[in-house]
C-alpha cells in the first residue's frame, strides 16, 4: 500500500496549472460577487457620481453644555454638573444626500446615553433627536435614511451625552456620508488596513484594523470562500467542460488564498509596528529603552529611589509601593525588584500600618491622601495612625520614605 | 568586539546549549525512529528532532536550575551551562558511536529542508512560503530585540520572579499577601505567587547568559519557541505522511496566527509555551498511536508532565491527552468509553458547580452564562485566528467520519476534550466574565490552536490522499492492536 500525495498539494503539472487558474478565477469572481452584494445591501447613494462626504473638524464644534478644551488629538469635553455634554455645529446640507452621520468620538463608556440632535428648514422651530449606539468605546454611525424627520436642509447637528464619563470625551470630528458604493468601499478598506499599534489589550486580542468595523475582513473572506466553493461545485457538476471534475484542491487553494489575504494585512501591520518600535527604542540600552517607554517618568523616579535604597542583597530591604493608578502601582513595583516589594496588584489600598516595620521603605507615586509632616517626621494616610518616617527623596508627585 | 555584541554572542551560546542538549538526547535515543514501511524522510525527521529537542532541552534546563536551587548552588555559567554541555556532548558521543551523526546525514537533512525534491511549481511555492515565513520571523525578532517587557501580566507575575531569582542567584519562594505581610522570612510577593517557575527560569537563564539584566533580551526564548514549534510541526506533519509543501503550509498556518505572533512580539506570558508543549505532547502521543514506539510515549509523557509546570491549568491540558490514550489502547470500545467519561465529567461538573467549588482558581457554577457575542467576535470577527475557526467547522462537517476512525480518532478525542475544557471554563466558571472583556478567551484558546491546525491538516490529508488499498496506511498500526486488549 502506497499513499499518494494529497491532490491539494501534489498533482500532475498539467492539471495543477489548470486548477490554479480555475481557483484564481473563481476566487476573484466570488470576491466580486460578495462585494457587489454587500454594496447593494448597504449603499444608499448613487453608484456613479454623487456628492462628496462632508466633514467637520473638532475646531468647528461649539460646547453648549460641559467644558471643552481643544487639543492636538481633538476636543476634550468634560460633562457639566448634571453629567451632560452637548456639542453642536452649524451645517447646511440636503438631508436626502447624506443618510448617515458618523461622529468620531472616543472614551465613550457603555451605559452612557448618547444622542444625535439636528434641526432642519422643514420644521425650523423643532429640534429632532435619535439615540446613538456605542461600539467599542466609540459612537456608532447613525443611519437616518428611514427616519421621518430627516428631511429638508439640515441647519445644525449636535451630540449629547448623559452619564458619568471615566475620562473626558474625545471628539475628533463628524462626517455626513452620502453612502455611495465608492465611499463605503473606501471606508471598509480604511477600517481593514488601519494601523493597530500595540496597546494594553494586544496580548489578549487582535482586532484586525480599526477598533470598530462595519464588516470585519475575516467575515467577508469566509463568505467569499463559501461562495467560491459553491460556484465551483456547481460548475464542476453542470459545466465540467469549463472547470473539469470537482477537485478539493481548488477549494483548498481558495481557502489558502483568503488566509493569505488576512496574513498579508497582518504582516503589513507588523511592518508598521516594527517601524514604530524601531523609532522608539532602537539603538538604546535597556535603561534608555525604559526611559523612552510610556512609563519613562516613573522609571526615572524609581531609578533615583534605588540610588537611595541600600544594595539589594539578601535579605533585601522591604519596599512598599503605592499609587492611585493600578498601572503605576504595579509597574513601579516591577521596577523595584529585586527589593522585597509589596504592592496591591488589584486595588488602590495602603498597606496596614501595623505591617510597616522600622527599616522598611515606602515609595509613593501620584498617591492622593498621603500626608507627611516634616517637622514631626510623621507619615499618615486615610484611616491609619501616623507613623514615624524619614523623607529620603521627593519628586513631582512622588516620594520615598524610610520607616522608623 | 563591543560589549553588546559579546553579550549577544553569550546569549546565543547560552540558548544553543539546552537546544543542543535536547537534540543530542533525541539523537542518542534514535528518535524519531522511521516507520519501517516508509522511506526515510531526512528533512522531516531532522525538523522533528530539532523542534522537539528545543523543548526537551528547555525543560531539562529548568529542571536542573530547580535542582541547583535545592542544593543551594548559585546560578551561573559554570553551574548551569557546563553540566548541560557535558551531558549534551556525552549524548552526541553515544549517537556518533551508532553512526547517527555524519556529515552526509547532516547535509542530506539540510538539503531536504531547504530544497526538497519537488515539482517546479511546488518548489517556487516552497521558496516563496519560506521567504514569507522568514520575513515574519524577522519582524518578530525585531520586536523581541527592541521592545522592553510590555504586557501587563508579564511584569506583575512572571518577570517579577525572574528578576529576583536572577539577582539573588537562586530560587526564593513567593507567597501570598497575607503570608508576606505576616513576615514570612525570605519570601517575596507578586500578583500570582503560586505560578510555576518554568517560564521565569528561562528568563533567568537568558540573563545569566547575558551577564546582566535586560528585559528585552531575556525574552529570546519566546522567539525560539516559535521557531522550534514550527520545526516540530513541519516534522510531525511530514512524519504523518503529509507532503512537503503541505507540511510547510501547515507550519505557516500555525505561525501566521496573529495571536501566536503577538505572544512572541510581546513576549513575557506563558501561554505560547503552554500551547507549544501541549501540541507537541499530543503529536508525540499521536505518533505513538501509529508506531507504538516507547520513545514516542516517553516524550509525550515528559511533555505532558511538563504542562502543569508551565501554567496551572496545564494539569487539565495534560489530562485532555487521556481520551487519546484510551481510544488508542481500546480501538473498539474507546470512543464509547470516552463518551462515557465525558458524561461522568458532566455529572461531576453539576455536583461541583452546585457547591460552587473552586478548582485551579476557577469558581465553578451551575449558571450557564457563556458570552456568545464576545466568543463569536473573538473567533470569527476579529483577526486573532485568521480563518481557523471557519476552517475547523467546515472540516469537521466534511470529515466527521474520518475524525472518529483510525488513525485520527485519538487526536480527535484529545482536541474534543480540549474544546470541552475551554467550553466549561468559558460557560460554567467565573472565567465567563473574562470572555466578555476579551482578556482570557484568546489566550486560553492559544493553548489548543496549534494542535487544532495540525488536526485540520492531517484530516485534509486523510480526506484527499488516494491509497491503493481500501485500508488507510496508519489504520493498520491501530487495527493491529489485538482486540483482546479491549477485554
Amino acid at each position: 500500500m502506497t499513499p499518494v500525495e494529497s491532490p491539494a498539494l501534489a498533482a500532475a503539472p498539467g492539471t495543477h496549472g489548470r486548477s490554479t487558474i480555475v481557483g484564481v478565477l473563481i476566487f476573484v469572481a466570488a470576491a466580486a460577487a460578495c462585494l457587489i452584494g454587500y454594496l447593494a445591501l448597504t449603499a444608499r447613494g448613487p453608484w456613479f457620481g454623487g456628492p462628496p462626504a462632508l466633514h467637520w473638524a473638532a475646531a468647528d464644534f461649539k460646547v453648549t453644555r460641559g467644558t471643552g478644551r481643544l487639543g492636538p488629538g481633538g476636543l476634550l469635553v468634560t460633562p457639566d454638573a448634571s453629567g451632560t455634554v452637548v456639542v453642536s455645529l452649524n451645517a447646511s446640507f440636503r438631508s436626502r444626500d447624506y443618510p448617515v452621520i458618523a461622529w468620531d468620538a472616543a472614551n465613550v463608556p457603555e451605559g452612557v446615553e448618547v444622542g444625535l440632535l439636528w434641526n432642519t428648514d422643514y420644521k425650523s422651530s423643532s429640534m429632532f433627536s435619535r439615540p446613538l449606539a456605542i461600539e467599542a468605546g466609540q459612537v456608532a454611525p447613525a443611519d437616518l435614511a428611514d427616519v421621518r424627520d430627516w428631511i429638508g436642509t439640515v441647519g445644525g447637528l449636535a451630540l449629547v451625552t448623559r452619564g458619568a464619563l471615566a475620562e473626558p470625551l474625545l471628539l475628533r470630528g463628524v462626517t455626513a456620508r452620502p453612502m455611495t458604493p465608492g465611499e463605503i468601499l473606501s471606508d471598509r478598506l480604511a477600517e481593514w488596513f488601519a494601523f493597530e499599534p500595540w496597546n494594553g489589550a494586544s496580548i489578549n486580542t487582535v482586532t484586525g484594523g480599526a477598533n470598530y468595523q462595519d464588516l470585519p475582513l475575516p467575515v467577508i473572506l469566509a463568505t467569499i470562500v463559501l461562495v467560491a466553493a459553491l460556484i465551483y461545485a456547481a460548475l464542476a457538476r453542470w459545466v465540467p467542460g469549463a472547470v473539469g471534475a470537482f477537485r478539493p484542491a481548488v477549494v483548498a487553494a481558495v481557502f489558502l488564498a483568503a488566509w493569505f489575504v488576512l496574513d498579508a494585512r497582518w504582516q503589513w501591520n507588523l511592518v508598521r509596528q516594527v517601524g514604530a518600535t524601531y523609532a522608539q527604542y532602537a539603538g538604546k540600552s535597556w535603561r534608555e529603552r525604559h526611559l523612552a517607554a510610556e512609563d519613562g517618568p516613573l522609571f526615572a523616579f524609581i531609578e533615583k529611589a534605588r540610588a537611595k535604597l541600600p544594595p539589594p542583597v539578601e535579605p533585601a530591604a522591604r519596599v512598599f509601593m503605592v499609587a492611585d493608578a493600578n498601572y503605576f502601582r504595579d509597574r513601579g513595583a516591577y521596577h523595584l525588584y529585586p527589593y522585597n516589594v509589596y504592592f496591591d496588584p488589584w486595588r488602590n489600598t495602603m498597606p496596614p500600618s501595623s505591617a510597616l516595620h522600622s527599616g522598611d521603605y515606602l515609595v509613593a507615586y501620584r498617591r492622593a491622601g498621603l500626608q507627611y509632616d516634616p517637622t514631626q517626621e510623621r507619615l499618615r494616610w486615610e484611616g491609619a495612625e501616623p507613623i514615624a518616617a524619614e523623607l529620603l527623596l521627593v519628586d513631582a508627585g512622588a516620594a520615598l520614605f524610610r520607616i522608623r | 568586539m563591543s560589549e553588546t555584541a559579546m553579550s549577544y554572542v553569550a546569549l546565543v551560546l547560552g540558548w544553543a546549549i539546552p537546544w543542543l542538549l535536547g537534540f543530542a538526547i533525541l539523537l542518542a535515543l534514535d528518535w524519531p525512529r522511521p516507520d519501517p514501511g516508509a522511506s526515510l524522510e531526512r528533512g522531516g525527521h531532522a525538523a522533528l528532532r530539532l523542534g522537539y529537542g528545543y523543548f526537551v532541552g528547555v525543560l531539562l534546563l529548568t529542571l536542573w536550575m530547580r535542582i541547583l536551587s535545592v542544593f543551594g548552588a548559585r546560578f551561573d555559567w559554570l553551574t548551569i551551562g557546563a553540566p548541560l554541555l557535558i551531558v549534551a556532548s556525552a549524548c552526541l558521543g553515544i549517537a556518533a558511536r551508532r553512526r547517527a551523526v555524519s556529515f552526509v546525514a547532516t547535509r542530506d537533512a539540510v538539503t531536504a529542508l531547504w530544497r526538497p525534491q519537488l515539482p517546479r511549481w511546488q518548489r517556487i511555492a516552497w521558496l516563496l512560503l519560506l521567504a514569507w515565513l522568514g520575513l515574519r520571523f524577522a519582524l518578530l525578532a525585531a520586536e523581541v530585540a527592541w521592545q522592553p517587557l510590555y504586557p501587563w501580566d508579564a511584569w506583575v507575575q512572571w518577570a517579577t520572579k525572574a528578576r529576583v531569582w536572577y539577582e539573588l542567584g537562586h530560587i526564593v519562594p513567593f507567597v501570598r499577601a497575607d503570608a508576606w505581610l505576616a513576615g514570612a522570612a525570605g519570601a517575596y510577593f507578586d500578583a500570582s505567587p503560586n505560578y510555576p517557575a518554568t517560564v521565569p527560569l528561562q528568563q533567568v537563564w537568558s540573563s545569566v547568559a547575558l551577564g546582566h539584566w535586560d528585559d528585552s533580551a531575556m525574552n529570546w526564548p519566546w522567539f525560539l519557541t516559535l521557531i522550534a514549534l514550527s520545526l516540530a510541526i513541519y516534522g510531525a506533519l511530514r512524519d504523518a505522511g503529509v507532503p512537503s509543501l503541505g507540511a510547510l503550509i501547515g507550519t505557516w498556518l500555525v505561525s501566521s496566527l496573529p495571536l501566536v505572533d503577538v505572544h512572541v512580539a510581546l513576549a513575557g506570558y506563558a501561554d505560547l509555551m503552554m500551547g507549544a508543549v501541549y501540541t507537541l505532547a499530543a503529536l508525540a502521543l499521536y505518533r505513538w498511536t501509529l508506531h507504538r514506539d516507547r520513545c514516542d510515549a516517553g516524550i509525550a509523557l515528559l511533555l505532558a508532565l511538563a504542562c502543569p509546570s508551565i501554567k496551572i491549568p496545564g494539569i487539565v491540558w495534560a489530562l485532555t491527552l487521556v481520551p487519546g490514550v484510551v481510544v488508542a489502547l481500546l480501538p473498539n470500545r474507546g470512543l464509547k468509553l470516552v463518551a462515557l467519561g465525558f458524561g461522568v465529567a458532566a455529572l461531576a461538573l453539576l455536583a461541583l458547580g452546585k457547591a460552587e467549588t473552586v478548582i485551579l482558581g476557577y469558581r465553578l457554577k451551575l449558571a450557564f452564562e457563556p458570552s456568545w457575542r464576545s466568543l463569536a467576535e473573538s473567533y470569527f470577527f476579529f483577526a486573532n485566528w485568521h480563518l481557523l475557526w471557519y476552517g475547523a467547522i467546515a472540516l469537521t462537517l466534511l470529515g466527521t467520519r474520518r475524525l472518529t476512525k483510525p488513525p485520527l480518532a485519538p487526536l480527535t478525542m484529545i482536541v474534543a476534550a480540549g474544546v470541552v475544557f475551554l467550553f466549561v471554563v468559558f460557560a460554567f466558571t467565573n472565567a465567563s466574565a473574562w470572555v466578555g472583556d476579551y482578556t482570557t478567551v484568546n489566550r486560553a484558546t492559544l493553548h489548543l490552536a496549534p494542535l487544532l491546525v495540525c488536526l485540520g491538516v492531517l484530516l485534509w490529508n486523510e480526506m484527499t490522499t488516494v491509497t491503493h488499498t481500501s485500508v488507510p496506511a496508519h489504520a493498520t498500526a491501530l487495527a493491529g492492536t489485538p482486540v483482546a486488549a479491549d477485554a
Side-chain angles (χ1 to χ4, degrees), chain A residues 321 323-333 344 346-348:
Chain A
M321 176 75 210
D324 281 333
N326 242 19
Y327 177 77
F328 289 132
R329 200 166 55 244
D330 297 8
R331 193 77 177 161
D344 189 329
W346 300 283
R347 291 178 306 278
N348 179 20

Side-chain angles (χ1 to χ4, degrees), chain A residues 7 9 206 263 267 277 334 337, chain B residues 122 136 143 189 215 384 464:
Chain A
L9 310 160
V206 181
D263 202 39
Q267 189 106 305
T277 306
Y334 169 65
Y337 287 102
Chain B
Q122 287 196 27
R136 173 65 46 87
E143 282 294 320
F189 170 76
D215 64 2
N384 300 301
T464 55

Side-chain angles (χ1 to χ4, degrees), chain A residues 96-191:
Chain A
R96 73 171 180 196
D97 290 339
Y98 295 94
V100 168
I101 300 296
W103 290 89
D104 186 358
N107 308 337
V108 192
E110 298 283 343
V112 169
E113 283 180 47
V114 186
L116 170 71
L117 306 179
W118 71 92
N119 62 16
T120 69
D121 63 354
Y122 179 67
K123 278 186 185 174
S124 55
S125 59
S126 300
M127 182 70 79
F128 305 106
S129 70
R130 181 181 169 83
L132 299 175
I134 301 168
E135 297 276 359
Q138 301 179 19
V139 177
D143 186 348
L144 303 158
D146 299 325
V147 174
R148 193 185 58 184
D149 297 319
W150 189 250
I151 189 169
T153 299
V154 176
L157 295 170
L159 181 80
V160 57
T161 73
R162 284 192 197 90
L165 300 175
E167 50 190 322
L169 179 71
L170 175 64
L171 282 173
R172 300 187 194 96
V174 60
T175 306
R177 294 186 170 166
M179 296 299 281
T180 59
E183 192 214 5
I184 291 172
L185 202 54
S186 158
D187 282 353
R188 292 300 82 79
L189 287 170
E191 287 169 6

Side-chain angles (χ1 to χ4, degrees), chain A residues 1-13 16 20 134-135 196 198-209 211 213 216-223 225 248-249 251-252 255-260 262-268 270-271 273-278 280-287 289-290 293-294 306 312-316 318-320 326-346 351-352 354-355 357 360, chain B residues 8 118-119 121-122 131-133 135-136 138-140 142-143 145-152 154-156 159-160 163-164 167-168 170 172 174 177-178 180-184 186-192 212-218 238 241-247 249 252-254 256-259 261-263 265-267 269 373 377-378 380-388 390-392 438-443 453 460-461 464-469 471-474 476:
Chain A
M1 180 191 62
T2 311
V4 176
E5 291 210 332
S6 158
L9 310 160
H16 178 75
T20 305
I134 301 168
E135 297 276 359
E196 185 183 358
W198 299 140
N199 58 65
S202 296
I203 197 73
N204 297 320
T205 196
V206 181
T207 310
N211 266 347
Q213 298 190 24
L217 189 56
V219 174
I220 186 76
L221 282 169
T223 310
V225 173
V251 180
F255 179 80
L256 292 176
W259 189 293
F260 181 78
L262 286 168
D263 202 39
R265 190 215 71 81
W266 172 235
Q267 189 106 305
W268 173 234
L270 278 178
V271 167
Q273 178 59 58
V274 168
T277 306
Y278 177 86
Q280 192 171 1
Y281 297 120
K284 294 182 168 75
S285 69
W286 81 270
R287 277 203 163 77
R289 285 198 292 270
H290 273 292
E294 295 77 8
R306 291 174 75 99
V313 291
E314 281 187 289
R318 301 201 322 164
V319 183
F320 293 81
N326 242 19
Y327 177 77
F328 289 132
R329 200 166 55 244
D330 297 8
R331 193 77 177 161
Y334 169 65
H335 293 318
L336 278 164
Y337 287 102
Y339 289 102
N340 201 343
V341 186
Y342 179 83
F343 63 107
D344 189 329
W346 300 283
S354 60
H357 305 143
D360 289 346
Chain B
Y8 266 84
L118 292 171
W121 75 268
Q122 287 196 27
W132 185 255
L133 280 172
L135 175 60
R136 173 65 46 87
L139 293 170
L140 297 177
E143 282 294 320
W146 292 323
Q147 186 75 247
L149 196 67
Y150 186 84
W152 194 289
W155 42 263
V156 296
T160 44
R163 182 78 195 259
V164 172
E167 300 281 2
L168 301 184
H170 60 99
V172 292
F174 277 67
D178 49 358
W180 192 93
L181 288 169
Y188 280 70
F189 170 76
D190 68 6
S192 297
H212 61 93
W213 175 259
D214 178 338
D215 64 2
S216 304
M218 72 177 184
R238 285 295 288 132
V242 179
S244 303
L245 185 57
I249 288 172
W252 165 60
L253 294 179
V254 171
S256 68
L257 290 171
L259 212 77
D261 295 340
V262 164
H263 276 251
L266 301 180
Y269 276 40
R373 184 182 164 178
E377 284 178 338
S378 294
F380 298 105
F381 293 1
F382 291 164
N384 300 301
W385 307 108
H386 282 349
L387 297 176
L388 171 62
Y390 294 99
Y438 309 103
T439 52
T440 296
V441 57
N442 292 307
R443 285 195 290 115
V453 173
W460 178 262
N461 194 54
T464 55
T465 299
V466 181
T467 55
H468 295 312
T469 70
V471 182
H474 305 118
T476 41

Side-chain angles (χ1 to χ4, degrees), chain A residues 291-310:
Chain A
L291 289 170
E294 295 77 8
D295 65 333
L298 169 67
F299 181 80
F301 173 73
I302 297 291
E303 286 283 282
K304 287 183 200 167
R306 291 174 75 99
K308 298 277 182 187
L309 292 167

